[in-house]
Amino acid sequence: MIDLKKIHKLNSKSDFEKFIKKHPIDEPVYIGNYLFHYLIIYNKFKTLKMSSHPIYKENDEGMAGVHLAAKIGEEIKNYE
């Protein structure tokens, strides 16, 4: 199992590269969610820009990155 706090702490390119060596960017990290899903949830858009990623891929709920961002924004009433 992955420690989701590690995703939240990804700030540098070297941290990001180490992380994706263990958890490839094109494979789900946890419960059908890909790394970019968690980067969106944690508002880590600078980290999201560090690599190309398949944001069109859906998680187990059938949500792509844009849909997930909209859902989270609606839940927390913050659309930034």
Side-chain angles (χ1 to χ4, degrees), residues 34-68:
Y34 292 83
L35 177 58
F36 71 88
H37 286 116
Y38 291 108
L39 294 174
I40 290 169
I41 290 169
Y42 294 137
N43 197 19
K44 305 291 276 182
F45 294 106
K46 288 182 183 177
T47 307
L48 191 62
K49 293 178 187 179
M50 290 184 195
S51 178
S52 60
H53 26 270
I55 63 168
Y56 59 86
K57 289 197 175 186
E58 297 177 344
N59 64 7
D60 287 348
E61 296 176 325
M63 301 182 93
V66 175
H67 299 116
L68 183 64

Side-chain angles (χ1 to χ4, degrees), residues 8-19:
H8 187 51
K9 294 179 180 180
L10 291 175
N11 291 318
S12 69
K13 185 144 179 112
S14 63
D15 290 344
F16 182 76
E17 289 171 353
K18 287 178 193 174
F19 186 86

